[in-house]
Amino acid sequence: MSETVPLIDIASLEDRYHRHNLSLPKGPILLSLWLGSFLASVDNTVVANMMDTVSNEFHENDKKQYIATSFLLTNTAFQPLYGKLSDLIGRKNALMIASSFFWIGCVITMFAQSVEQFSIGRLICGMGCGGVNSLSSIIVSDICDARSRGIMQGYANLVFAAGQFLGAPLGGLIIDTIGWRYVFGLQVPLVMLSQILAYYNVNIRLTHVPKYGKYTWKHLKKLDLGGTFTLTCSIATFLIISSEENLSQFTKQLLIVSGLIFLVLFFLTEFYWAQERLIPFEILYGRTGVVSLITIISAFVTFGDVFRKPLYLQLMQNFTSSGCGLFMVFTSLSAPIASFATGFVTKHTTKSVEYMCYVLAMGSMILQLISQISEAALIDYLKPKLGLSESDSSLTLFNMLDNEHFAWKVLLSITTAANGYGYCTILVATLVVVIFTVEKSKQGTVTGLFYLWRSLGTVFGASLILTTYEKCLESKLFKYLVTEKNDLKSYNKLIHDSSLVRKIYKHEPAITEKLLSLYRSSFFISYLPQIVILLLGTGMSVVLVIKMNKVLNKETETDKNNDEII
């Protein structure tokens, strides 16, 4: 009898806490969560328009890839950690820690005096933003009932996607008006406002969070710090190897071995040593694993493009930062359209919701593949603007596609919007799959896991695409300037400051045009990894839809046979 009383008390307490959580004022909580999530996702891409500006200001143009990837590294590695942390010390306390890292990182970035200091600030920002994003989704699940949870998560997903795509245009506008430092300075009071709202309103009660002793080592050792550390180190070594050109052969080999060791230690930690895993690998078998790969591929392609396109427009077509941002607005506009269109289809379909989500994912992969192939062809076809005089601008086959005309901008806007539409469709489709196919007790874990996949795709996309472009460009410039023209001085200048490409040989238009053509071909080559991986993703999604269709047909036949027997 004495053993059953605590169980009855716990069940009663869980019900009471659940009713309390549902009764919390949703307005200020959602405002806090979505403001924080929006700022965190904006911060994810806000540097896309300032990489060239910041690296040129510090005269460290060859380190621009670290500006993008430093934030993405910690943002990726820390996202799954915060879900577990919130189960140990409570939702509010975990959110306070994440928000504090966020605004402290913004302050450090704002006052940075070198790329290294800038990157340190971005690393700390990433530690906070990863938690703000994942905790936003988890807290919404706590304060909403089952019927409204899907709707609220859909809106949260919309805020997240809108923030990711508005980062570049907003950043470009601020850079051109008051300077890049204010991009981070303006975020600090907004993050603090979100933190204050959360402190006074996110009063969620959970039976598994102890009232006392929550900060003791006995309790906190359930947090998989070893898995987080080894995952972060393995990703970091990969980014250094792929991004740093001036490494000695010994250093590269040492980093490769170190990365492999950290990766092995990560899997050993997850499968044997961790008291509770950072990543529940058992859920990645079958269709969930395929959808995870599709999510990574879509994010890889989209954010490789988000970080590359401003560079192309600034270097090749003489665009300002705010002008580059206008192109990203089309991606921002595609986010709500894709979200609501996907929601409408899944709500009104007469077929299996899970099957329809897989069909939408397949269509999105195909759409992104078409957009990247078309954009690569356009960039290869459109010659750079010389920037010397209107008469010096190179002509293309069709006059309407001349870089002085409007048609190429329309085409580039369409490919940009199509790429963003495909990505946002996959975001919403995967969320719906989680809600309809994963049991309630695991939805928070799986949702956090899909945020991790998106972040992994983002960090690998930004790193690999920029690195492909940089290494290809360095090779071509070295061959032309050093090998052919014996001009090492100009080569070193361009490697450290690409904005000089039209100034070094400003009195020799033929050489300037040749240099710009090398930049253009490097941009074109950087599309190839995205096209290859999209072909892989398209193939996987087609196979997934075919297999799911066979399962549905088999179930339909079984139902018909049962009806005939009855």
Side-chain angles (χ1 to χ4, degrees):
M1 184 70 175
S2 62
E3 293 181 357
T4 60
V5 171
L7 294 176
I8 295 172
D9 289 342
I10 290 175
S12 175
L13 189 63
E14 284 182 344
D15 181 65
R16 188 160 67 248
Y17 280 4
H18 179 63
R19 284 187 277 109
H20 164 79
N21 295 338
L22 293 180
S23 68
L24 291 172
K26 293 180 177 54
I29 293 177
L30 293 175
L31 176 61
S32 167
L33 296 178
W34 290 350
L35 175 60
S37 181
F38 178 80
L39 291 171
S41 55
V42 164
D43 212 66
N44 202 334
T45 55
V46 73
V47 298
N49 266 353
M50 68 173 67
M51 288 189 299
D52 227 35
T53 304
V54 173
S55 59
N56 288 340
E57 178 176 320
F58 296 137
H59 303 290
E60 295 177 306
N61 192 264
D62 54 327
K63 298 179 181 179
K64 70 173 65 170
Q65 61 269 31
Y66 297 123
I67 293 175
T69 56
S70 54
F71 170 90
L72 299 175
L73 170 64
T74 49
N75 181 64
T76 299
F78 277 77
Q79 278 197 8
L81 186 68
Y82 277 101
K84 185 61 183 176
L85 181 64
S86 70
D87 282 336
L88 294 176
I89 66 173
R91 309 294 196 230
K92 179 195 288 188
N93 295 327
L95 188 57
M96 292 300 102
I97 292 172
S99 298
S100 297
F101 276 129
F102 190 176
W103 65 259
I104 290 171
C106 284
V107 171
I108 293 173
T109 307
M110 178 174 62
F111 292 107
Q113 299 299 317
S114 67
V115 169
E116 288 79 8
Q117 293 178 14
F118 189 100
S119 298
I120 290 172
R122 299 298 292 156
L123 279 169
I124 296 173
C125 270
M127 292 170 63
C129 290
V132 170
N133 281 327
S134 57
L135 288 170
S136 173
S137 180
I138 293 170
I139 292 172
V140 167
S141 296
D142 289 329
I143 65 173
C144 297
D145 57 32
R147 179 172 295 182
S148 60
R149 188 179 299 128
I151 297 173
M152 290 299 178
Q153 293 286 17
Y155 282 121
N157 215 28
L158 177 60
V159 170
F160 179 81
Q164 282 186 310
F165 292 121
L166 283 172
L170 283 176
L173 180 63
I174 295 173
I175 291 167
D176 283 346
T177 52
I178 55 179
W180 66 265
R181 295 183 186 275
Y182 289 93
V183 171
F184 304 100
L186 293 173
Q187 290 185 73
V188 174
L190 294 176
V191 176
M192 287 183 170
L193 174 62
S194 170
Q195 190 176 21
I196 292 170
L197 286 171
Y199 180 79
Y200 285 106
N201 294 284
V202 182
N203 298 310
I204 293 171
R205 297 177 183 175
L206 301 169
T207 57
H208 55 267
V209 177
K211 190 172 183 180
Y212 303 103
K214 66 178 71 174
Y215 296 107
T216 62
W217 172 245
K218 182 180 179 181
H219 185 62
L220 290 178
K221 70 179 182 179
K222 297 177 183 178
L223 202 63
D224 189 7
L225 295 176
T228 303
F229 175 75
T230 51
L231 177 63
T232 303
C233 290
S234 59
I235 295 174
T237 53
F238 166 79
L239 292 177
I240 294 172
I241 293 168
S242 62
S243 302
E244 184 57 63
E245 178 71 22
N246 300 319
L247 294 175
S248 66
Q249 191 65 26
F250 173 77
T251 304
K252 285 185 178 180
Q253 292 175 353
L254 182 62
L255 285 171
I256 291 172
V257 172
S258 300
L260 291 175
I261 290 174
F262 280 123
L263 193 60
V264 170
L265 287 174
F266 170 71
F267 284 111
L268 288 174
T269 301
E270 295 301 287
F271 285 104
Y272 299 106
W273 301 333
Q275 187 171 342
E276 296 184 17
R277 292 178 183 176
L278 180 68
I279 299 176
F281 288 96
E282 62 274 4
I283 71 169
L284 297 181
Y285 299 113
R287 293 193 289 265
T288 305
V290 175
V291 173
S292 298
L293 288 174
I294 290 173
T295 303
I296 294 173
I297 289 171
S298 182
F300 176 95
V301 171
T302 301
F303 287 95
D305 192 53
V306 164
F307 282 93
R308 174 186 54 214
K309 188 160 291 171
L311 287 177
Y312 169 79
L313 292 172
Q314 289 173 356
L315 289 173
M316 296 292 93
Q317 303 301 334
N318 264 343
F319 272 52
T320 62
S321 295
S322 56
C324 296
L326 289 175
F327 274 89
M328 307 316 294
V329 167
F330 292 100
T331 312
S332 305
L333 293 175
S334 68
I337 296 173
S339 298
F340 289 121
T342 305
F344 179 84
V345 171
T346 54
K347 183 178 180 180
H348 294 87
T349 182
T350 57
K351 297 185 178 181
S352 163
V353 174
E354 183 183 5
Y355 171 75
M356 187 52 60
C357 288
Y358 296 149
V359 171
L360 289 170
M362 179 185 69
S364 298
M365 282 282 98
I366 294 172
L367 181 63
Q368 286 190 285
L369 177 61
I370 293 172
S371 72
Q372 290 301 287
I373 292 175
S374 302
E375 192 169 297
L378 176 64
I379 284 177
D380 185 55
Y381 185 71
L382 183 68
K383 292 186 178 180
K385 185 174 182 180
L386 294 180
L388 300 175
S389 68
E390 186 174 345
S391 61
D392 287 328
S393 296
S394 302
L395 294 177
T396 57
L397 182 62
F398 298 101
N399 192 46
M400 288 301 292
L401 284 179
D402 176 18
N403 52 24
E404 296 295 331
H405 290 77
F406 191 70
W408 73 269
K409 299 176 185 178
V410 174
L411 293 176
L412 192 61
S413 300
I414 291 173
T415 59
T416 302
N419 191 30
Y421 185 94
Y423 171 68
C424 291
T425 298
I426 288 177
L427 290 190
V428 179
T430 53
L431 176 63
V432 174
V433 166
V434 169
I435 293 173
F436 279 91
T437 62
V438 178
E439 60 183 87
K440 183 180 176 182
S441 62
K442 295 182 179 179
Q443 284 185 4
T445 300
V446 179
T447 301
L449 201 55
F450 273 94
Y451 273 98
L452 173 63
W453 301 148
R454 297 172 195 176
S455 296
L456 279 174
T458 302
V459 68
F460 289 147
S463 174
L464 280 176
I465 300 308
L466 290 178
T467 300
T468 300
Y469 160 73
E470 290 286 350
K471 290 187 175 181
C472 182
L473 178 63
E474 288 177 12
S475 175
K476 291 177 180 293
L477 288 178
F478 185 87
K479 182 178 179 181
Y480 179 67
L481 289 176
V482 180
T483 305
E484 295 183 18
K485 291 198 166 293
N486 196 27
D487 190 355
L488 182 61
K489 183 178 179 181
S490 295
Y491 168 80
N492 289 327
K493 285 183 178 179
L494 286 177
I495 289 300
H496 290 89
D497 189 353
S498 294
S499 65
L500 298 174
V501 66
R502 291 177 175 83
K503 301 175 182 177
I504 291 180
Y505 291 99
K506 61 182 179 181
H507 299 301
E508 300 181 66
I511 297 179
T512 300
E513 186 167 11
K514 174 63 178 178
L515 289 174
L516 288 171
S517 71
L518 297 180
Y519 277 82
R520 181 188 64 176
S521 63
S522 299
F523 278 114
F524 173 77
I525 291 173
S526 70
Y527 279 87
L528 299 182
Q530 291 165 299
I531 293 172
V532 171
I533 200 172
L534 277 171
L535 288 171
L536 175 63
T538 302
M540 288 192 301
S541 62
V542 169
V543 172
L544 179 62
V545 169
I546 292 173
K547 288 188 174 182
M548 187 64 184
N549 189 48
K550 289 181 179 179
V551 171
L552 290 176
N553 290 336
K554 189 175 181 180
E555 291 177 353
T556 303
E557 290 177 5
T558 303
D559 292 339
K560 287 182 179 179
N561 293 334
N562 291 336
D563 292 339
E564 290 175 0
I565 293 173
I566 295 174

